[in-house]
Each structure stands twice: as structure tokens, then as C-alpha cells.
Amino acid sequence: MQCEFDLNRPPNVVLKPNDRMPHQTRQIVVNKFFAEFSRIYACISSSLPFLAHEHSLDQELAIYKKSNRSTYQTSAGHALKRLKYRPVAEDSEDIGIDGVWIKRVEKSIPILLQNDLTQFLMTNFELNLHNYPLQTQNQSIEDLEELKGNQMQTCDRCQTKFEKSFPLTEYDKIACNYHNSRVISRTMSGVNTRLYSCCQKPIESSGCLRGPHVFKVEKYDELNELRKFEKLLPSQEVTDFLPVVGIDYILTISKSYTAKGLELTRLTIVSAYGERIFDQICKPIYPIIDLNTEFSGITESMISTATYDFDKIQSEIRKIISEDTILVGHGLENDLKALRLTHEKIIDTAVIFPHPKSFPFKYSLRILAEKILKKTIQQGTKGHDSYEDAMTTLELLEVAVIQGKDRIH
């Protein structure tokens, strides 16, 4: 009976030194979130008894991290209002804190399958401009030989030049001094100031975290030397061919770094109906340098229990996606590089909704979701959700279809 009683009580916020909000205020917010999550998860509480506790704490922490003392209660109130309108969860897939949870898609023929999407396909010029992997890309033999012998790289986090080596020395493990969050604008003493959201320090300040230098390989031939690129099969040779899929990888913003650069650690594929067709953790080919868990959500335990490696991932993809499949995503160039796939039927929401400053500037998926869909994504405290990102790209494409290409600004 004690266990039942505890499960029905709100969890306690852990008191930490230098909290910018009173402990009692944070606890009241958690209590209100817990009441709503208990209602939302009532039908699945027997199989997930601690979920309401976990998500009420996660929800409050997400609000706490993105707000300050003057905006905390307002932000919490908005989130609570949205939770009150949320339906009861149908199953264990229908879960998530506000900003992460995705509304169930009705099982009707989606607008994406009722319209001609070819108007949104990237041209060959656009594919080249945005650095998509194409089999026509080649470097000279002399350039490749020089690259093979070059051990110098630029750190993807602090932009310092360094000599790559593995295994890491104790110094190598803390050589990088960096910030792990985006830049935000705050008005301080009447002056608009740009700060890092991780530590609230000005953009000219030195990093607030220490870790190893990391890098990514971007050139086609360098990647091809590590692992050969492949083309997808014709549709008649694909077992479960899908004409349109949203495809998103924990990769571009949520990164996993290895001794050979940036590698795939999770792949999520959804159909035009919003169904999760494939979602698996992938063991990297090369030794891991940094999983970047705070962004990717990928942990060492997830990698250690993963049943898919790179070859198996590629094999599964080729059962679902053919050379005739339209791939929908946001900035898929790096994703295709990670998968070592060349593909030309691409719809990229970063290209459909261009930045007003034009190329090379691009809106992030998070900004487009706020501007176009009027919703907040990527606010979870355990890293980005690849399913949420994939669904968001499909929702953006639906808006583009409704508006028409000529009316998008």
C-alpha cells in the first residue's frame, strides 16, 4: 500500500544551491504538472507506473532551463494550459512532455499523397549548391593522397585546429573548451545582449565545458574512402516500397562523434501517414569520441544494447526506400552522407522555406516550427526526439502544399 501511496503523490524537486527560483514555487509547478500527467497517462499507468513522475519533473526542468526569474511562471502556465487540453494517452507510443509530444495523425489519406510533390523536388543545381552527395563529385588523385596523409582537423565545437589521434590521452579528453548550446538574445540594462543559453555568458566568453576535440568529414571523396557510397534499388526490387517518407537522423544538430568523424547513431523513418516505419539505434563503425548525449539523447547503454550496426541499417533501408522514393527532411545532406547513400528525389524543408538572407543562411527546424507551425520542438531535457523532428518536416511540407510553392516566403 505504501508503494501505491507514493505513486499517487507528486515527486519532489531536488533543491540545488544557487537556484534562481524559490524551491516552493518550482514544487507547486511540478505538483500541477503531475496532476495533468497522471490524467493523461491514466490508461497506461499499470505498464508505466513512474512515467507521470518522470515527465512532471522533466516538464518543469525544461521550463526552468529556457526561462528566467521573470518569465518562469508565465512559461509554466502556458505549458500547463496546453497539457489540460491534451487527450488521454492511447498507448506507450502516445507519450511525451509538452513540446515533445506529437498529436496522433488521423488515419485518413494524407494531403501529401493527394498532391503532386514534384514541384518541391530539389533540382540538380540545388543539390550541388547545398552539398548533397552526388556520384559525379570527384577529387583528383593528388588531392586524395594529400588528404590521406593529413592528420590536422578543425574542431567542430571550438574551431581550433588540432591533430587527430586515437586513443585519446588524458589531455586530449579535456583539450576542447566550448559551449554546448545556442546563442540567445536578452535585454540587460536596456541593452540587447547575445548570450550562450548554457551558461548565460556573452558570446565572446570562453567555453563553459571541457571535452575532447571532435570533427566531421564533409567531402564526398573523403567519406567514400572511409565507406563507399551506394545508390538505392529500383522500386520493383524493393520489398516494402513507400512512395513518400519523412526521414530524419539524430545527426546534424544531435551529433555523435567517433575517431573518424560524425557517424549515424539513430535512424528514424516515418511514412506520409505519420507512422513510425523504422526507428533503431545504430552502433557506430569506429570508436566513439563523444556521443553528445545532451543533444542526441543517445547514451552508452543504448549503444551497448543496440542490435543494429551500419550494414544492417543499410540493409533495412533498402527494403523500404527505392530510387523512386521521395525523401522528405530538413537538411538531409549530412544525413545521406552518414548513410553513404546518393539520392536525387529530395524535398528539403530548409530549402522550401528559405532564409531571408538567402544561401548559405538557413532556418533551423526549431525556428521553422515556431514561425510556420506555431509550435515548440526540441525542448526535451534528454536530447532531441528524432520522431518529433521527422514529423515536423512532414507538417511543414503539408503547409507548403496547401500554400503552394509560389506563395512561400
Side-chain angles (χ1 to χ4, degrees):
M1 293 300 293
Q2 181 64 37
C3 180
E4 278 188 32
F5 176 78
D6 289 340
L7 288 175
N8 287 317
R9 293 183 62 185
N12 293 320
V13 176
V14 178
L15 182 61
K16 294 182 179 179
N18 303 318
D19 265 0
R20 61 178 177 273
M21 293 301 299
H23 181 263
Q24 184 180 5
T25 301
R26 295 187 67 185
Q27 186 62 55
I28 290 172
V29 169
V30 167
N31 294 352
K32 291 180 178 180
F33 283 152
F34 177 71
E36 290 307 316
F37 280 117
S38 296
R39 175 190 63 79
I40 293 168
Y41 297 147
C43 294
I44 59 173
S45 60
S46 58
S47 58
L48 297 168
F50 299 104
L51 193 60
H53 283 75
E54 293 172 3
H55 282 192
S56 56
L57 288 171
D58 285 350
Q59 186 74 73
E60 189 278 334
L61 185 58
I63 298 295
Y64 179 80
K65 284 186 173 182
K66 70 177 183 180
S67 62
N68 55 39
R69 192 178 182 91
S70 62
T71 62
Y72 172 83
Q73 289 183 298
T74 301
S75 298
H78 289 326
L80 183 65
K81 184 176 180 179
R82 289 189 291 271
L83 288 173
K84 287 181 180 294
Y85 284 105
R86 194 162 131 186
V88 173
E90 297 177 9
D91 52 45
S92 59
E93 292 286 306
D94 193 18
I95 64 175
I97 65 172
D98 180 62
V100 173
W101 174 76
I102 302 293
K103 185 178 180 180
R104 280 286 169 90
V105 178
E106 295 296 326
K107 192 66 173 181
S108 57
I109 298 176
I111 192 171
L112 299 183
L113 296 182
Q114 300 177 48
N115 289 268
D116 179 15
L117 299 180
T118 57
Q119 62 177 314
F120 298 105
L121 289 174
M122 296 180 71
T123 64
N124 284 333
F125 173 78
E126 288 174 324
L127 290 170
N128 273 297
L129 179 66
H130 293 275
N131 203 24
Y132 273 80
L134 301 172
Q135 289 188 322
T136 56
Q137 297 170 333
N138 283 298
Q139 288 176 257
S140 68
I141 294 175
E142 292 79 8
D143 286 342
L144 282 174
E145 290 303 319
E146 182 181 343
L147 288 168
K148 288 179 184 178
N150 184 14
Q151 294 297 307
M152 296 302 294
Q153 293 287 347
T154 300
C155 180
D156 200 30
R157 295 195 285 212
C158 70
Q159 305 306 307
T160 300
K161 293 280 188 182
F162 73 100
E163 186 172 355
K164 61 182 181 181
S165 62
F166 192 84
L168 301 180
T169 65
E170 290 304 310
Y171 171 77
D172 290 336
K173 294 176 183 178
I174 58 169
C176 181
N177 186 205
Y178 66 100
H179 295 280
N180 71 338
S181 64
R182 59 182 178 268
V183 174
I184 58 175
S185 294
R186 288 273 166 83
T187 301
M188 303 176 69
S189 302
V191 179
N192 188 39
T193 306
R194 301 181 73 204
L195 310 169
Y196 285 105
S197 58
C198 50
C199 59
Q200 305 294 307
K201 291 182 179 178
I203 57 172
E204 62 270 16
S205 65
S206 58
C208 58
L209 295 173
R210 285 278 183 182
H213 286 310
V214 292
F215 68 98
K216 59 184 177 185
V217 179
E218 296 187 281
K219 292 183 178 179
Y220 178 93
D221 286 284
E222 293 179 69
L223 291 164
N224 202 44
E225 280 290 308
L226 293 171
R227 186 88 181 197
K228 297 295 181 184
F229 278 86
E230 295 184 16
K231 290 191 70 174
L232 293 166
L233 299 172
S235 56
Q236 60 267 28
E237 297 180 33
V238 175
T239 311
D240 303 311
F241 170 62
L242 290 173
V244 182
V245 299
I247 184 166
D248 187 81
Y249 311 93
I250 295 287
L251 197 74
T252 46
I253 297 175
S254 307
K255 302 173 182 177
S256 297
Y257 295 99
T258 71
K260 295 293 184 179
L262 201 57
E263 283 195 58
L264 173 77
T265 46
R266 181 179 178 182
L267 169 65
T268 302
I269 302 175
V270 302
S271 73
Y273 286 93
E275 297 168 316
R276 198 186 305 243
I277 302 300
F278 186 86
D279 191 2
Q280 291 291 340
I281 305 299
C282 177
K283 290 183 177 180
I285 301 170
Y286 299 102
I288 296 166
I289 299 295
D290 192 338
L291 284 171
N292 221 4
T293 303
E294 64 267 27
F295 290 112
S296 68
I298 304 297
T299 63
E300 289 184 10
S301 62
M302 292 166 74
I303 293 293
S304 65
T305 57
T307 57
Y308 281 77
D309 59 15
F310 186 84
D311 290 328
K312 193 173 180 181
I313 287 280
Q314 270 207 339
S315 176
E316 291 299 316
I317 289 172
R318 293 163 79 85
K319 295 176 185 177
I320 303 170
I321 302 171
S322 83
E323 64 181 10
D324 298 315
T325 299
I326 295 175
L327 297 186
V328 182
H330 190 84
L332 286 176
E333 65 272 20
N334 289 323
D335 304 334
L336 292 177
K337 288 174 184 177
L339 284 170
R340 299 300 195 273
L341 291 177
T342 60
H343 192 68
E344 295 183 3
K345 291 194 173 183
I346 301 290
I347 295 178
D348 188 339
T349 48
V351 177
I352 292 177
F353 297 94
H355 195 284
K357 291 184 178 180
S358 71
F359 183 83
F361 296 96
K362 295 182 182 181
Y363 283 123
S364 68
L365 186 62
R366 180 183 62 83
I367 294 298
L368 278 183
E370 290 177 1
K371 284 175 62 68
I372 308 299
L373 304 176
K374 309 301 180 187
K375 74 174 190 177
T376 304
I377 64 169
Q378 300 175 353
Q379 292 295 321
T381 59
K382 297 179 180 178
H384 294 183
D385 185 325
S386 60
Y387 177 71
E388 175 189 48
D389 289 352
M391 283 298 299
T392 301
T393 61
L394 291 183
E395 291 179 53
L396 286 168
L397 181 55
E398 286 181 355
V399 172
V401 168
I402 293 169
Q403 288 184 353
K405 188 175 182 179
D406 296 336
R407 296 176 59 193
I408 296 173
H409 301 289

